C-alpha cells in the first residue's frame, strides 16, 4: 500500500458519479435543453483548480457556461475563508441572489469551498439563506454530481448538504474543464499540517495528502501533449510533497521527474514553506532546465518573536540563509513573498524588522495582507492592543518601501532581452500583447495576436513598478 492512510476515493465511486453526469446530460438532451452555469471563485489557485473540476463535471452533464448571472440555470460560489473580507463578499453576493431566485424558481444555487467547512458558517447559510439549494465543503467535491442530481430531483424543496469535516481524501480522474489553454495548474497535494497560528486553511482543507507521482506525471504529460506551455504544481505546502507516502519520492525528485517529461516548457510551483526548503530542492531548481528561476517563499514577518507566535518553525536568520543560498545557486532568481501586517501585538520594532527584511532580500513582489482574525485559530485569542489605524498605516508604509524596490529591480532589466510567454491581448489596450518572463514579470509589447501561446524574445525598454514594456526582437 503506497498511502500510509488510505485516502484515495475508489474508482467505483468515481465511475458512479460519472454515470450520474451522463444521466443528467441525457435528460437535458431529451428535453432539448442546454442549461447554463455561472461560476464564481474566491481564494487561491487551489480553489480555482477545484472550480475547473466542477466546470468539467457540469460540462459532462450537458451544461454550457455564461458570464451573465441573469441567464444562468445554475450559479455556484466557490468560497475562501482565509480572511474576513473574502467571506463578507460571499454573503453579500448570496443575499443579492434572493430576488433572482424568486423570479426564476428553477434556478439552482450552490455554495462550496473552504467557508463551508466551517460549521458555524454552514449553519448560518442553512438558516438564513434558504434560497441556496446545495452546500458542500472541500472534501465533498467529487460527490458534486450526486448533489446536483438530488437538487434537480427534489425540485429544490430541500437544501442538499455535504460539509463533513474529515481529514480529507484524494479523488483522481474527475472531469476537468480548464479556463486557460496556455497555462495549467496541477494540484500535487492537498491540505496542510502546519497550523500557523493565524491560519484557517488546515481546518478547512484537512491533512496533507500527496497524489501518487504516476498520476501527476500522467496528467502533466497529457497537458504537454495538448499544447500547454506552462505548468504550475500546486499545494499549500508543495515542498513537503511525499512525506505522507511510502514512495521515497520527495518534492525535489518530483520536480526532476516533471522536468524530464518530453516536450515540457515552463514549470512553476507554489507555495513553498521555508522550513521545508532543502538544499536538495535548491539543487533541483538549479539543474532543471524547465523549472523557472522564481521562488515564492512566504516569510510572513521579519520578527523572530512574531514568527514564533505564528508557529512558523523558522527564524529570520534561517530564512535569510536559505534565500541567500538559493540566490547563489540559481542565477537571476526572482524571489517573492507573503507578509502579514498587524499580527496580534505586533510592535513598532517587530514591524521595522519586517521592513528590514524587505530591504535586505529585495523581493521582486510581495503579497501583503492585514491580519484578519479567524475564529478557532490560536491567534484569535491573543491580546491585540494595536489599533486598525496603526495597522493600515504600517501596511501603507510597507507598500511604499516595496514599490521602490520593485521599481529598482525592474529598472535594472531595461536593455535586457527576455524570453516571454505570450498570454494574449492586454486587457487595457487590444493593440498590445501581454506575457510573462520566466521570473513571472508582466511584459507588454506590440505584436500580432497570432503569437498568443508562443515564446518570443522581447527587448525591455521601460520599467514600471508592476510591469515592463518592450519590443519584440528577432
Ligand atoms: N500555504 C500558503 C498560502 C496560505 S494562504 C503559505 O503557507 O504560504 C496565503 C496567504 O494568506 C498566507 O501566506 C498569509 O500571508 C495570508 N494569510 C493567511 N491567514 C491570514 C490571516 N488570518 N490574516 C491575514 N492574512 C492571512
Ligand atoms: Fe496556512 Fe501556514 Fe498552512 Fe500556509 S503553511 S496554509 S499559512 S497553516
Ligand atoms: Fe482560501 Fe481555501 Fe485557498 S481558505 S486561500 S480558498 S485553501
Amino acid at each position: 500500500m503506497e498511502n500510509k492512510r488510505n485516502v484515495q476515493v475508489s474508482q467505483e465511486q468515481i465511475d458512479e458519479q460519472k454515470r450520474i453526469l451522463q444521466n443528467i446530460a441525457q435528460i437535458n438532451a431529451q428535453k432539448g435543453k442546454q442549461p447554463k452555469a455561472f461560476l464564481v471563485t474566491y481564494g487561491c489557485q487551489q480553489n480555482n483548480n477545484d472550480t475547473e473540476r466542477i466546470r468539467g463535471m457540469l460540462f459532462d452533464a450537458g451544461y454550457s457556461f455564461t458570464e451573465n448571472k441573469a441567464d444562468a440555470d445554475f450559479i455556484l460560489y466557490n468560497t475562501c475563508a482565509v480572511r474576513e473580507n473574502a467571506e463578507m463578499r460571499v454573503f453579500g453576493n448570496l443575499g443579492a441572489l434572493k430576488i433572482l431566485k424568486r423570479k426564476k424558481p428553477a434556478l439552482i444555487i450552490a455554495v462550496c469551498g473552504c467557508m463551508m467547512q466551517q460549521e458555524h458558517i454552514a449553519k448560518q447559510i442553512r438558516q438564513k439563506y434558504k434560497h441556496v439549494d446545495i452546500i458542500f465543503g472541500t472534501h465533498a467535491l467529487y460527490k458534486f454530481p450526486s448533489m446536483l442530481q438530488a437538487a434537480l430531483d427534489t425540485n429544490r424543496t430541500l437544501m442538499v448538504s455535504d460539509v463533513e469535516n474529515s481529514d480529507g481524501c484524494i479523488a483522481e480522474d474527475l472531469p476537468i474543464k480548464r479556463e486557460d489553454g496556455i497555462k495549467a495548474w496541477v494540484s500535487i497535494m492537498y491540505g496542510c499540517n502546519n497550523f500557523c497560528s493565524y491560519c484557517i486553511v488546515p481546518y478547512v482543507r484537512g491533512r496533507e495528502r500527496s497524489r501518487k507521482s504516476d498520476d501527476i506525471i500522467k496528467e502533466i504529460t497529457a497537458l504537454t501533449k495538448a499544447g500547454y506551455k506552462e505548468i504550475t504544481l500546486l499545494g499549500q505546502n508543495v515542498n513537503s510533497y511525499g512525506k505522507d507516502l511510502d514512495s521515497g519520492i520527495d518534492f525535489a525528485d518530483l520536480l526532476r521527474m516533471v522536468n524530464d517529461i518530453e516536450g515540457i516548457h515552463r514549470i512553476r510551483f507554489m507555495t513553498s514553506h521555508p522550513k521545508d526548503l532543502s538544499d536538495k530542492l535548491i539543487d533541483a531548481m538549479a539543474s532543471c532546465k524547465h523549472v523557472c528561476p522564481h521562488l515564492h517563499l512566504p516569510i510572513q514577518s521579519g520578527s523572530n518573536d512574531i514568527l514564533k507566535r505564528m508557529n512558523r518553525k523558522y527564524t529570520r536568520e534561517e530564512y535569510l540563509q536559505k534565500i541567500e543560498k538559493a540566490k547563489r545557486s540559481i542565477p537571476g532568481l526572482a524571489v517573492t513573498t507573503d507578509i502579514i501586517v498587524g499580527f496580534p501585538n505586533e510592535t513598532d520594532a517587530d514591524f521595522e524588522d519586517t521592513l528590514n527584511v524587505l530591504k535586505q532580500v529585495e523581493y521582486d513582489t510581495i503579497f501583503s495582507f492585514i491580519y484578519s482574525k479567524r475564529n478557532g485559530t490560536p491567534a484569535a485569542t491573543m491580546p491585540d492592543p494595536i489599533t486598525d489605524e496603526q495597522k493600515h498605516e504600517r501596511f501603507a508604509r510597507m507598500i511604499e518601501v516595496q514599490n521602490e524596490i520593485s521599481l529598482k529591480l525592474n529598472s535594472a532589466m531595461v536593455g535586457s532581452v527576455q524570453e516571454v510567454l505570450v498570454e494574449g491581448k492586454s486587457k487595457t489596450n487590444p493593440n498590445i500583447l501581454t506575457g510573462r518572463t520566466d521570473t513571472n514579470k508582466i511584459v507588454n509589447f506590440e505584436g500580432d495576436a497570432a503569437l498568443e501561446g508562443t515564446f518570443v524574445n522581447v527587448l525591455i525598454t521601460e520599467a514600471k513598478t508592476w510591469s515592463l514594456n518592450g519590443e519584440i526582437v528577432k
Side-chain angles (χ1 to χ4, degrees):
M1 190 179 75
E2 201 182 21
N3 277 319
K4 282 176 189 160
R5 279 172 44 229
N6 201 0
V7 292
Q8 189 141 346
V9 179
S10 72
Q11 191 63 45
E12 290 76 41
Q13 280 173 289
I14 299 291
D15 289 345
E16 170 62 22
Q17 295 297 319
K18 286 183 173 175
R19 265 195 300 276
I20 296 174
L21 295 176
Q22 281 162 13
N23 279 342
I24 300 174
Q26 228 165 36
I27 293 167
N28 280 328
Q30 277 162 9
K31 290 186 184 158
K33 274 204 325 196
Q34 192 178 40
K36 293 198 187 101
F38 172 85
L39 314 180
V40 181
T41 314
Y42 292 101
C44 62
Q45 289 298 347
Q46 302 255 323
N47 247 22
N48 272 331
N49 201 229
D50 285 351
T51 301
E52 291 183 324
R53 294 278 170 201
I54 296 169
R55 267 164 67 89
M57 293 189 247
L58 285 166
F59 184 76
D60 286 0
Y63 284 72
S64 65
F65 301 92
T66 174
E67 303 285 303
N68 183 359
K69 234 187 274 184
D71 263 2
D73 304 285
F74 175 88
I75 295 181
L76 172 112
Y77 285 94
N78 190 359
T79 63
C80 169
V82 84
R83 282 172 291 275
E84 195 182 8
N85 54 7
E87 293 193 342
M88 295 319 289
R89 282 194 298 185
V90 169
F91 282 121
N93 277 312
L94 283 183
L97 286 183
K98 223 176 225 170
I99 303 167
L100 200 59
K101 177 84 176 184
R102 215 174 291 140
K103 277 197 225 148
K104 198 174 177 177
L107 170 69
I108 292 185
I109 300 173
V111 192
C112 68
C114 295
M115 268 171 84
M116 296 308 109
Q117 288 292 145
Q118 294 172 281
E119 237 167 77
H120 69 283
I121 292 197
K123 195 170 150 199
Q124 194 177 344
I125 303 248
R126 274 193 208 101
Q127 288 173 347
K128 294 197 186 142
Y129 296 81
K130 295 216 157 77
H131 56 297
V132 171
D133 302 281
I134 305 176
I135 62 173
F136 60 102
T138 55
H139 302 319
L141 183 80
Y142 74 95
K143 290 182 263 181
F144 170 68
S146 45
M147 290 184 270
L148 178 62
Q149 175 80 74
L152 290 165
D153 287 351
T154 54
N155 277 329
R156 302 111 201 156
T157 48
L158 257 176
M159 192 185 286
V160 184
S161 164
D162 193 333
V163 292
E164 173 210 350
N165 197 353
S166 65
D167 283 348
C169 54
I170 292 180
E172 289 295 343
D173 200 26
L174 288 178
I176 187 161
K177 197 165 165 51
R178 294 177 189 274
E179 272 178 39
D180 196 287
I182 302 167
K183 307 204 278 185
W185 284 264
V186 175
S187 294
I188 62 162
M189 60 186 301
Y190 305 95
C192 180
N193 288 352
N194 290 325
F195 291 94
C196 302
S197 65
Y198 50 82
C199 186
I200 197 77
V201 171
Y203 305 88
V204 296
R205 284 272 171 183
R207 296 292 64 74
E208 280 178 6
R209 48 217 191 269
S210 306
R211 291 176 67 196
K212 289 179 190 148
S213 59
D214 288 353
D215 291 327
I216 297 169
I217 299 298
K218 206 165 77 186
E219 184 175 350
I220 300 175
T221 304
L223 289 167
T224 305
K225 283 205 179 115
Y228 280 87
K229 298 290 165 36
E230 186 177 299
I231 304 292
T232 304
L233 309 177
L234 277 186
Q236 290 302 340
N237 187 12
V238 282
N239 50 356
S240 71
Y241 172 83
K243 286 186 182 166
D244 58 320
L245 300 177
D246 289 329
S247 65
I249 297 170
D250 65 13
F251 184 61
D253 301 325
L254 183 71
L255 212 50
R256 287 182 190 274
M257 290 163 76
V258 176
N259 188 65
D260 287 343
I261 292 175
E262 205 184 301
I264 190 113
H265 292 274
R266 285 182 175 174
I267 305 162
R268 300 187 188 279
F269 56 90
M270 64 185 283
T271 298
S272 315
H273 193 294
K275 76 171 167 51
D276 297 314
L277 183 72
S278 61
D279 287 352
K280 183 178 171 189
L281 176 55
I282 294 176
D283 289 345
M285 283 183 75
S287 57
C288 288
K289 187 168 135 227
H290 300 289
V291 174
C292 291
H294 172 206
L295 180 62
H296 181 62
L297 199 65
I299 186 166
Q300 311 297 1
S301 167
S303 149
N304 279 338
D305 175 50
I306 297 230
L307 286 173
K308 196 154 184 219
R309 290 198 290 119
M310 283 179 163
N311 191 30
R312 287 292 288 181
K313 305 182 186 91
Y314 54 83
T315 63
R316 161 207 180 96
E317 292 73 23
E318 284 161 351
Y319 178 94
L320 290 172
Q321 247 168 24
K322 291 192 180 192
I323 292 281
E324 202 180 302
K325 165 99 207 273
K327 280 189 172 177
R328 233 185 306 124
S329 312
I330 307 158
L333 182 72
V335 186
T336 56
T337 200
D338 289 353
I339 296 200
I340 295 176
V341 176
F343 185 78
N345 206 13
E346 179 192 61
T347 64
D348 279 330
D350 291 324
F351 179 64
E352 288 302 324
D353 283 345
T354 301
L355 289 185
N356 286 332
V357 168
L358 297 194
K359 290 173 191 162
Q360 190 173 339
V361 174
E362 297 201 310
Y363 292 104
D364 289 81
T365 317
I366 63 168
F367 299 88
S368 46
F369 312 97
I370 292 182
Y371 170 74
S372 173
K373 182 170 153 178
R374 306 284 68 205
N375 285 333
T377 64
T381 55
M382 293 180 190
D384 190 10
I386 314 298
T387 64
D388 277 357
E389 200 187 348
Q390 272 172 302
K391 294 187 183 195
H392 280 92
E393 261 170 33
R394 284 178 190 168
F395 187 77
R397 229 181 106 208
M398 190 170 70
I399 302 279
E400 213 175 290
V401 168
Q402 179 54 39
N403 283 354
E404 213 173 285
I405 297 167
S406 295
L407 184 60
K408 178 183 140 189
L409 296 183
N410 283 350
S411 300
M413 292 176 76
V414 172
S416 71
V417 173
Q418 300 288 325
E419 187 187 61
V420 173
L421 173 57
V422 185
E423 291 177 1
K425 289 182 195 165
S426 146
K427 278 187 192 119
T428 46
N429 181 347
N431 299 320
I432 297 287
L433 295 179
T434 185
R436 282 178 193 260
T437 63
D438 56 358
T439 51
N440 214 28
K441 289 184 190 282
I442 298 168
V443 185
N444 297 309
F445 50 96
E446 270 178 35
D448 192 328
L451 291 172
E452 187 176 311
T454 67
F455 291 93
V456 294
N457 287 324
V458 177
L459 170 71
I460 305 302
T461 54
E462 192 190 351
K464 299 185 171 182
T465 310
W466 299 102
S467 64
L468 302 161
N469 290 340
E471 291 160 9
I472 295 187
V473 291
K474 290 280 165 300

